[in-house]
Amino acid sequence: MTLSFAPGDADAIPLHVLSESDWTDWCAAHEGQTRDWLEQLGFSGALGQVMLAPDSGGAQAFVGYGSTATRRRGRFNGADAAARLPKGTYRLVTELPDHERDAFALGWLLTGYRFDRYKSQPSNSATLQVPNGIDGDRLATIANGEALTRDLINTPAADMGPADLARAAADLADRFDASCTVTEGAALLEANLPMIHAVGRAAAQPPRLIDMRWGSDGPSLTLVGKGVCFDTGGLNLKPGSSMGLMKKDMGGAAAVLGLTQMIMALDLPLRLRVLIPAVENSVSSNAFRPQDILTSRKGLTVEVNNTDAEGRLVLADALSLADEEAPDLLISMATLTGAARVAVGPDLAPFYTDDEMVAAALAQAGTAVADPVWRLPFWDPYEAMIEPGIADLDNAPKGGFAGSITAALFLRRFVSAERRYIHFDMYGWQPVAAPARPKGGVGQGTRAVLDALPQVLGL
Ligand code: BES
Ligand code: MN
Ligand code: ZN
């Protein structure tokens, strides 16, 4: 599906977005039938209220915008009116501050997102004309990148295995004249990507490394996304309750592909490379085992103490490959640890970087575009936790303390010290529906990165 604004010329229904105090002011200035109508129906400007009222010769719509305090609890405030108003074309007539107007308009588009791949009847929804002062094309591009991310995550593993993920990447590449090569199965061993092979070899669909490139000028950016299409945990099998959501374990890959679509559609002046290890962490007689020792692309050996800590293994080889080319900025995105969720819950995407400027730019961008991210530390004193007895590294430190940090430290071992590197330990899933974020797959960190890129890369 394509998310878009309504054409500007249609006969649009005026849409008021009024906070509680705006409503008081509005009442003072608008004595008469419309005010009586809304008052009688109890409109107060409370966040989430949606009402229609007569206008001279037509209709008008009112959306409650609450107060600063209620808005702080949410994101894309009021934008879910898109799902609750009757089908029609609306025109925002309230002047909102810049950031809020952007969030409202983007939220309106994202509210129109449906995962309709398995639904027979199309949905109908209210559409919004591009509000004044907004770059409608840019917002629509961002919304459609996010929709791609959601579609990829929401598609069950039976239809989104490593082969399907590779096809999705190739389709995206085709649309923007990007190149896309895929290294598959035993070829991974020849290409010296042994850990991607080890994790994915037990699955019916062979493991792959997807390698996309786009753009010929400007600074270089490499995105690496965890593409574990289903995570059973491998031989250290997950309990059923933990396995239930693991179709989303390619959320990092989905986020990276959504961001890639945004970057290409906006034609950003940079050279982009996208690396996605696409595997299924499955169970079979040839599965990798606890206590196996793997030799990574970089040469570091890894003792497998839990086959469920598979994400860092496939990412390590992809990061080594990325690092060899010395990109100006390297970003990994991954649904890497349950510990990240214990720490910050489903809303926030923790990120790691040693670069203070990058950290500040990301945090600020996240707030500005309603894509909140939160910095956690690459805490050097915990390095000892990922060093076991008989190999260089341990993929699953005992004790379970600081699980997101130790996973991040593990990844950093495969990136040169001088590289500008950002790692996101994301969730990729909205557990309870909220405005513009239906229950299901969701991108995290992508819009924050997009917003921070000009500053970080000097575009
Ligand atoms: N994909 C999971 C992490 C995950 C679990 C993300 C639940 C989001 C929700 C990852 O592969 C994993 O299983 N990690 C283990 C690592 C542990 C064995 C060291 C974890 O977090 O429990
Ligand atoms: Mn796992
Ligand atoms: Zn996983």
Side-chain angles (χ1 to χ4, degrees):
M1 78 186 305
T2 305
L3 303 172
S4 56
F5 288 107
D9 47 7
D11 210 1
I13 301 163
L15 176 75
H16 306 263
V17 177
L18 302 181
S19 69
E20 284 156 29
S21 61
D22 293 339
W23 170 241
T24 310
D25 298 346
W26 196 91
C27 283
H30 294 81
E31 216 169 292
Q33 233 184 20
T34 304
R35 189 184 90 181
D36 296 347
W37 167 295
L38 287 164
E39 277 186 330
Q40 194 167 23
L41 290 171
F43 189 80
S44 66
L47 194 58
Q49 282 187 322
V50 174
M51 267 175 211
L52 291 163
D55 196 5
S56 47
Q60 54 183 330
F62 289 81
V63 173
Y65 202 48
S67 62
T68 313
T70 53
R71 285 197 300 279
R72 277 175 66 92
R73 288 179 166 224
R75 243 186 270 178
F76 304 118
N77 291 298
D80 57 332
R84 296 159 63 208
L85 286 166
K87 186 176 176 176
T89 301
Y90 294 82
R91 170 170 59 90
L92 179 65
V93 295
T94 309
E95 298 257 338
L96 295 174
D98 285 0
H99 281 165
E100 297 185 29
R101 187 189 44 197
D102 274 29
F104 181 84
L106 178 61
W108 184 292
L109 292 183
L110 290 175
T111 298
Y113 171 80
R114 301 272 181 294
F115 181 54
D116 56 10
R117 175 166 170 165
Y118 303 92
K119 285 252 189 247
S120 35
Q121 80 285 28
S123 57
N124 56 348
S125 54
T127 56
L128 184 71
Q129 293 181 340
V130 182
N132 288 334
I134 275 192
D135 184 342
D137 289 340
R138 178 181 165 89
L139 281 191
T141 295
I142 291 171
N144 285 304
E146 170 64 16
L148 172 63
T149 297
R150 293 180 183 184
D151 279 347
L152 292 171
I153 296 175
N154 285 331
T155 306
D159 293 326
M160 192 47 69
D164 304 286
L165 190 53
R167 201 168 309 124
D171 288 348
L172 179 61
D174 276 354
R175 282 171 43 217
F176 292 93
D177 279 328
S179 72
C180 184
T181 62
V182 178
T183 309
E184 183 184 324
L188 289 167
L189 296 175
E190 284 148 42
N192 192 22
L193 297 159
M195 297 209 294
I196 299 176
H197 185 267
V199 169
R201 72 188 179 210
Q205 285 185 18
R208 290 158 167 79
L209 179 78
I210 302 164
D211 188 350
M212 247 177 98
R213 286 177 192 275
W214 174 87
S216 48
D217 295 307
S220 55
L221 166 66
T222 299
L223 304 174
V224 177
K226 173 176 171 181
V228 175
C229 293
F230 196 79
D231 184 9
T232 66
L235 288 172
N236 289 108
L237 201 65
K238 284 182 185 293
S241 56
S242 307
M243 206 190 294
L245 264 181
M246 283 299 118
K247 72 171 182 183
K248 77 168 181 72
D249 213 18
M250 32 60 75
V256 155
L257 288 174
L259 175 57
T260 295
Q261 178 171 306
M262 295 176 203
I263 289 171
M264 296 191 300
L266 293 170
D267 207 13
L268 295 193
L270 49 79
R271 286 172 293 143
L272 179 64
R273 186 182 193 188
V274 180
L275 292 170
I276 295 174
V279 302
E280 187 178 337
N281 188 18
S282 195
V283 181
S284 183
S285 61
N286 67 341
F288 76 128
R289 312 160 193 82
Q291 291 189 307
D292 280 355
I293 293 181
L294 308 176
T295 301
S296 65
R297 175 182 184 83
K298 195 178 176 127
L300 291 168
T301 57
V302 181
E303 185 174 321
V304 176
N305 279 309
N306 194 325
T307 61
D308 198 8
E310 83 297 339
R312 65 198 75 187
L313 301 175
V314 298
L315 289 169
D317 276 353
L319 284 169
S320 303
L321 179 65
D323 190 66
E324 288 161 18
E325 207 181 44
D328 294 313
L329 178 64
L330 175 57
I331 304 180
S332 55
M333 300 188 127
T335 52
L336 201 58
T337 70
R341 259 0 81 197
V342 175
V344 299
D347 262 29
L348 291 167
F351 71 93
Y352 296 81
T353 180
D354 284 322
D355 188 311
E356 300 299 322
M357 182 277 268
V358 169
L362 267 182
Q364 196 192 0
T367 306
V369 300
D371 184 13
V373 296
W374 206 266
R375 189 184 189 186
L376 290 180
F378 278 124
W379 188 250
D380 294 270
Y382 293 165
E383 289 280 7
M385 292 197 208
I386 57 172
E387 292 161 352
I390 59 171
D392 295 324
L393 292 169
D394 180 344
N395 80 328
K398 278 157 215 55
F401 280 165
S404 177
I405 296 178
T406 52
L409 289 173
F410 185 99
L411 296 184
R412 195 180 63 168
R413 291 287 184 110
F414 297 86
V415 177
S416 311
E418 69 274 15
R419 191 85 46 240
R420 261 178 164 181
Y421 174 48
I422 310 169
H423 160 59
F424 281 91
D425 194 341
M426 55 179 290
Y427 192 50
W429 192 260
Q430 178 66 24
V432 186
R437 292 180 295 157
K439 181 178 172 178
V442 71
Q444 286 186 306
T446 48
R447 290 181 297 104
V449 168
L450 186 75
D451 197 64
L453 276 181
Q455 190 188 338
V456 171
L457 285 176
L459 301 181

